Amino acid sequence: MPDIKHFDPDAALDTVVRLFWRQGVASTGIQDIVSATGLNRSSLYATFGGKQDLYRAALERYVEHRSRPSLGRLTDDARGLPAITEFFNGLIETRCSGPYAQWGCMISNAHAGAENGDPGVRAILDRQHQRLRDALHTALLTARGRGQLGPAADPGTAADVLALLAHGVNLRSRAGADATELGTTVRAAIDAIGGRAVT
């Protein structure tokens, strides 16, 4: 039996995150994981469990290393609407250019895939959506305090709309949507929340 301590589980999991993120669960078989990590099946199973256990672990790692830092910066930013604009600009740039272009977001991809039928996966997705919504809500409350919201804008409702828009950006970018078009849509939404006329 191989000694599973002869590899770095964190490094292996990072590789698996990229594999599931790019290809999705349905298109990724155990042999793909074996080939990408260089590990044998028994080491993978002994360390992580089956494919679904490994996927859940990868999803949690994606949240911890990619989603939480971005949302933390948004929550801590005291600029209000400019912070939200910067968040979306960064999102579009990451999704449409660089090494992860057209990969989408692992969380949004899971929302759109059959893997969300797993209760464990669904719980991760629900928690992460709430974190996204809460971070946007915090920024919108700051914006209201700074007089940046239009008179009809409700921070709670606006946070719900922007959270859905973030998922939309993630999914549309995976399908090859143009960054400029995505940016135009985002600006229109933020302008409407700020009470500015959309042209």
Side-chain angles (χ1 to χ4, degrees):
M1 178 176 292
D3 183 354
I4 64 171
K5 296 180 181 179
H6 287 173
F7 73 92
D8 182 349
D10 287 334
L13 191 55
D14 285 339
T15 298
V16 173
V17 166
R18 291 189 293 272
L19 195 61
F20 280 134
W21 180 11
R22 184 178 70 248
Q23 297 183 184
V25 176
S27 299
T28 304
I30 288 296
Q31 187 55 50
D32 297 317
I33 297 168
V34 167
S35 298
T37 60
L39 303 175
N40 59 41
R41 291 173 185 247
S42 59
S43 293
L44 284 168
Y45 291 146
T47 304
F48 300 108
K51 176 183 169 180
Q52 198 62 23
D53 298 311
L54 185 55
Y55 176 71
R56 285 192 293 267
L59 198 59
E60 289 279 23
R61 190 167 186 84
Y62 179 92
V63 167
E64 191 63 30
H65 288 260
R66 296 192 177 273
S67 298
R68 276 184 186 249
S70 177
L71 295 182
R73 287 191 295 272
L74 177 59
T75 299
D76 294 340
D77 196 315
R79 292 177 297 156
L81 286 185
I84 294 173
T85 298
E86 185 174 293
F87 168 77
F88 273 98
N89 287 343
L91 189 67
I92 292 169
E93 181 178 359
T94 299
R95 301 296 178 237
C96 295
S97 61
Y100 307 112
Q102 295 190 3
W103 287 25
C105 163
M106 194 171 175
I107 296 295
S108 295
N109 296 347
H111 274 290
E115 54 267 35
N116 66 33
D118 178 330
V121 171
R122 170 55 59 190
I124 295 169
L125 299 183
D126 288 346
R127 284 196 305 270
Q128 182 57 21
H129 181 78
Q130 190 62 47
R131 290 186 191 113
L132 170 62
R133 192 263 182 200
D134 288 349
L136 289 164
H137 188 232
T138 297
L140 286 161
L141 290 175
T142 299
R144 183 173 66 181
R146 295 175 68 90
Q148 297 170 347
L149 298 190
D154 171 69
T157 302
D160 291 332
V161 170
L162 291 177
L164 291 177
L165 181 58
H167 287 301
V169 166
N170 290 331
L171 292 173
R172 289 287 298 132
S173 65
R174 185 171 174 86
D178 179 72
T180 301
E181 293 177 3
L182 292 173
T184 298
T185 300
V186 166
R187 283 192 300 275
I190 295 174
D191 283 350
I193 291 168
R196 296 185 290 275
V198 179
T199 57

